[in-house]
Amino acid sequence: MKNIRNFCIIAHIDHGKSTLADRLLEFTKTVEGKDLQAQVLDNMDLERERGITIKSHAIQMDYEYQGEKYTFNLIDTPGHVDFSYEVSRSIAACEGALLVVDAAQGIQAQTISNVYMAIEHDLEIIPILNKIDLDSAMPDEVEDQIVQLLGVPRTDIIRASGKTGIGIEEILHAIIERVPAPQGDPDAPLQALIFDSVFNPFRGIIAYYKIVNGSLRKGDMVKFINTGKEYDADEVGILRLNMVAKEEVGCGDVGYIISGIKTSKEVKVGDTITHVKRPSTKAIEGFEEVKPMVFAGVYPIDSEDFENLRSSLEKLQLNDASLTFQPESSVALGFGFRCGFLGLLHMEIVQERLEREFNMDVITTVPNVSYKVYDKKGNMKEVHNPGGLPDVTLIESIEEPFIRASVITNTAYIGPIMTLCLGKRGVLIKQEYVSGDRVEIIYDLPLGEIVIDFYDKLKSISKGYASFDYHLHDYRPSKLVKLDILLNGEQVDALSTLTHFDNAQSFGRRMCEKLKELIPRQQFDIAIQAAIGAKIVARETVKAVRKDVTAKCYGGDISRKRKLLEKQKEGKKRMKQVGNVEVPQKAFLAVLKLD
């Protein structure tokens, strides 16, 4: 055990984690020849196309140092704020962390929040200054920032470049010298923490774990403490570029287990595996339940695909523990699921993975957040979608979630960023200088305002320089109203939103204008209305497509023309009574991009 090192790589998005991981794998000769490609560990097509890491990936390396053989378990983590849950799971399975900071960009919001997470878990942090080969690198200034953040001596900071391979050997030596070996008792009853799982159509569910105490052999009878289910360990082994089967996985090591589990509900990330014969009485602590931030309805385009969508979501949930879902139905869209996501990027990725990996065509409704609704008797109910809101006369108050957001930016952009936050009903908490011309602004903002387009706007007004990180802070009472969209007097429940009273009218008007562009013209007039309760706040009309029925009348009395027009008018009226209006898929997406 003294020669095992478990560590993860944490950083802000685009600071070069995956490239650095590539160099480590190449240097330790774990990956060679034809397997060597950029971002080896990003194995989803989506990750390669977008150049971001979505999943944490574990891989084992061997390295010889001063005549001794060492085993490294490396976990590469995502950098985007929406996937911070993946990072928290990786940190729970490690004793050390490589903190990667871009020498050209310096410390960003996500860097700070990941550092705090690592410190809470008592990890040994090795600061690395990456991309020092760039012309725009400012190694001395960024080193000052790291010293200020971590309070470490300058000599502890390693200057490296994932692209050219500078400093890689130094990093490997630092891991051996600074990161502690895993603490555990090989003779104690087995305790293994599950930190990830994947679905394989031939082998069933494969769980990845880190052994904290004891050891696991092939053929052992094991039990999952949380679910209480028992299984046979058909195959155990370690994670190289591919899975490598072993007779035994020892204490402190990271490995996988295949036991022919078919149903996804039986494997929970954060659960503890133990032996049936010599069980451990308690589960491993320090693992938090994920809290979804954003909710949206996901419906199959073809209603017969409902069961396929359910099984696709279950398989996806194995690989992405932060996705939650429950069935719901809508008048406009039929049967579907209410899904909980960590943010908008997460929602987009899930939708794209459903299409690519499971061939599911889905419609996603307008995303919203969860509210606490108090009735006149003082009872509280959590509402995830506007349709679940009780009647206005029964509501005493509604509380909405507020987040504590930290924005790190260049001083040149403070003005526009503050204007943006105030426009989103933000409350300034404090503003402090991180270094030189970089400032951290901390705001309390309603989550509902941020959900749709805040991040995109922040990036565009700061020319890409501002970085953003947030966590749920508390719930506060707010003056919220339900805004309904009516087509010819019929309510479209999938387009209903909960919004703040002050924004409701302008939001309703913009929504009606947008729908007018998108809904195709019919043979009759379509009235598009936005309503708060019984009060109509905005209206647009899609004009009917009309045939010129008076074309055949030339000359003659006006009453002949009038007779034909009256006849047409009657026909249109009859049509309007029986006609129904289909809302195109584009309309649901357009509401997200109203501005």
Side-chain angles (χ1 to χ4, degrees):
M1 259 177 74
K2 70 178 189 0
N3 288 6
I4 296 178
R5 299 286 183 271
N6 299 323
F7 65 95
C8 58
I9 303 183
I10 53 176
H12 188 77
I13 190 166
D14 270 351
H15 279 201
K17 295 173 295 302
S18 300
T19 313
L20 193 70
D22 288 353
R23 289 295 84 75
L24 293 173
L25 294 173
E26 191 184 344
F27 202 87
T28 56
K29 301 198 166 41
T30 310
V31 178
E32 291 183 289
K34 69 177 192 311
D35 292 329
L36 202 61
Q37 52 174 347
Q39 280 91 31
V40 178
L41 295 178
D42 292 351
N43 48 17
M44 260 191 270
D45 294 344
L46 250 175
E47 293 181 311
R48 300 192 153 282
E49 280 166 29
R50 289 170 175 244
I52 58 176
T53 305
I54 294 168
K55 288 288 303 161
S56 298
H57 299 278
I59 191 163
Q60 194 174 87
M61 312 183 270
D62 293 325
Y63 185 61
E64 203 169 299
Y65 177 62
Q66 295 179 350
E68 283 196 60
K69 268 203 158 170
Y70 287 88
T71 302
F72 291 166
N73 288 308
L74 153 73
I75 304 180
D76 179 26
T77 62
H80 196 281
V81 61
D82 277 12
F83 303 113
S84 53
Y85 179 63
E86 288 280 332
V87 182
S88 76
R89 286 170 24 195
S90 310
I91 284 176
C94 293
E95 282 85 35
L98 303 183
L99 175 72
V100 180
V101 181
D102 187 325
Q105 292 184 1
I107 284 177
Q108 307 270 312
Q110 204 55 33
T111 318
I112 293 178
S113 78
N114 285 343
V115 164
Y116 289 152
M117 215 188 295
I119 291 171
E120 271 169 37
H121 283 81
D122 289 334
L123 297 198
E124 179 61 43
I125 297 171
I126 301 175
I128 294 169
L129 195 60
N130 195 19
K131 305 193 187 181
I132 58 160
D133 57 314
L134 293 180
D135 297 337
S136 57
M138 316 172 289
D140 297 334
E141 287 95 322
V142 180
E143 267 187 12
D144 290 341
Q145 293 173 20
I146 297 175
V147 170
Q148 208 172 341
L149 175 69
L150 293 175
V152 294
R154 262 178 185 276
T155 48
D156 281 7
I157 302 170
I158 300 171
R159 293 190 179 193
S161 160
K163 194 171 170 188
T164 58
I166 304 167
I168 298 298
E169 201 165 352
E170 225 178 307
I171 293 172
L172 291 165
H173 296 174
I175 292 168
I176 293 170
E177 286 158 13
R178 297 194 219 165
V179 175
Q183 304 291 322
D185 181 356
D187 304 321
L190 172 70
Q191 273 186 317
L193 174 78
I194 299 178
F195 65 87
D196 206 355
S197 57
V198 289
F199 179 78
N200 181 315
F202 307 109
R203 315 281 312 259
I205 291 160
I206 304 170
Y208 299 157
Y209 55 81
K210 177 202 172 186
I211 297 186
V212 179
N213 289 315
S215 63
L216 180 59
R217 294 186 71 84
K218 185 179 175 180
D220 283 351
M221 274 298 282
V222 295
K223 175 174 138 187
F224 287 24
I225 292 183
N226 218 334
T227 55
K229 294 272 199 317
E230 298 181 359
Y231 309 100
D232 231 349
D234 298 337
E235 182 180 312
V236 297
I238 55 167
L239 300 156
R240 283 295 169 110
L241 195 55
N242 300 315
M243 296 186 291
V244 181
K246 285 274 177 102
E247 280 303 308
E248 180 178 20
V249 180
C251 187
D253 228 335
V254 173
Y256 71 90
I257 178 170
I258 299 177
S259 46
I261 306 171
K262 292 287 183 284
T263 46
S264 52
K265 288 192 180 68
E266 293 174 24
V267 178
K268 285 198 167 76
V269 169
D271 200 351
T272 305
I273 308 175
T274 188
H275 280 131
V276 173
K277 283 184 181 150
R278 237 183 102 205
S280 161
T281 46
K282 62 180 203 298
I284 298 166
E285 290 171 4
F287 202 85
E288 55 204 57
E289 271 291 301
V290 59
K291 293 184 188 68
M293 294 276 199
V294 177
F295 295 87
V298 174
Y299 294 87
I301 286 181
D302 191 347
S303 55
E304 286 155 15
D305 287 341
F306 176 72
E307 280 306 322
N308 292 353
L309 180 60
R310 184 198 294 273
S311 68
S312 304
L313 282 168
E314 279 177 359
K315 287 171 189 167
L316 199 57
Q317 194 178 31
L318 275 177
N319 195 254
D320 183 350
S322 43
L323 171 70
T324 59
F325 63 91
Q326 60 201 51
E328 72 162 4
S329 65
S330 144
V331 183
L333 300 167
F335 290 103
F337 294 93
R338 190 96 201 140
C339 296
F341 307 98
L342 293 179
L344 276 196
L345 178 70
H346 186 211
M347 175 172 132
E348 206 179 307
I349 296 290
V350 167
Q351 198 176 343
E352 213 160 314
R353 284 184 70 183
L354 280 172
E355 279 173 21
R356 289 186 185 206
E357 294 172 30
F358 304 100
N359 289 331
M360 293 297 310
D361 283 336
V362 293
I363 291 180
T364 313
T365 63
V366 185
N368 51 13
V369 298
S370 66
Y371 298 93
K372 290 182 176 172
V373 179
Y374 291 88
D375 62 15
K376 297 272 165 78
K377 293 174 185 163
N379 301 325
M380 194 274 286
K381 175 187 174 190
E382 274 213 358
V383 174
H384 295 317
N385 81 353
L389 205 65
D391 194 59
V392 188
T393 51
L394 305 172
I395 297 174
E396 180 63 41
S397 65
I398 303 178
E399 290 188 354
E400 65 174 330
F402 267 69
I403 58 167
R404 177 65 52 95
S406 144
V407 177
I408 293 183
T409 177
N410 195 305
T411 44
Y413 306 112
I414 294 179
I417 287 174
M418 285 191 163
T419 313
L420 172 70
C421 292
L422 289 171
K424 299 281 187 193
R425 298 190 283 129
V427 181
L428 180 65
I429 302 299
K430 65 174 181 184
Q431 167 184 344
E432 55 188 359
Y433 284 82
V434 183
S435 68
D437 59 349
R438 293 158 60 74
V439 64
E440 180 178 20
I441 310 172
I442 294 180
Y443 261 96
D444 278 358
L445 289 151
L447 182 60
E449 295 277 342
I450 280 201
V451 142
I452 292 182
D453 55 1
F454 180 80
Y455 192 64
D456 299 347
K457 281 187 171 172
L458 179 72
K459 281 291 182 202
S460 57
I461 61 175
S462 67
K463 301 192 170 56
Y465 276 112
S467 62
F468 173 64
D469 180 59
Y470 63 88
H471 58 268
L472 195 60
H473 189 57
D474 56 5
Y475 279 80
R476 301 181 191 179
S478 240
K479 197 175 177 188
L480 297 167
V481 290
K482 182 181 170 199
L483 184 75
D484 291 318
I485 297 293
L486 311 173
L487 292 181
N488 279 346
E490 292 288 317
Q491 186 186 330
V492 183
D493 58 349
L495 287 175
S496 298
T497 49
L498 270 175
T499 177
H500 195 265
F501 182 75
D502 298 345
N503 307 339
Q505 198 161 347
S506 63
F507 185 67
R509 188 173 298 118
R510 296 207 312 268
M511 222 152 151
C512 291
E513 284 164 5
K514 197 75 187 172
L515 286 170
K516 184 183 178 182
E517 293 168 23
L518 293 164
I519 290 177
R521 288 171 71 183
Q522 308 284 348
Q523 298 279 349
F524 51 90
D525 280 0
I526 303 169
I528 305 170
Q529 294 166 311
I532 299 172
K535 185 184 173 196
I536 304 291
V537 292
R539 170 181 169 135
E540 292 287 336
T541 310
V542 180
K543 284 290 180 202
V545 181
R546 297 185 58 159
K547 180 183 171 190
D548 187 0
V549 286
T550 59
K552 60 187 178 188
C553 302
Y554 50 93
D557 190 32
I558 185 72
S559 59
R560 283 178 62 198
K561 288 185 182 176
R562 188 153 300 140
K563 186 176 151 193
L564 288 168
L565 288 169
E566 286 300 323
K567 195 172 163 190
Q568 184 188 35
K569 196 172 166 186
E570 282 299 311
K572 295 275 180 209
K573 197 171 166 186
R574 229 180 10 256
M575 231 183 237
K576 189 171 182 173
Q577 284 163 357
V578 296
N580 65 344
V581 186
E582 287 286 310
V583 182
Q585 161 76 5
K586 278 192 302 206
F588 294 109
L589 298 175
V591 176
L592 303 186
K593 302 190 174 70
L594 265 181
D595 291 329

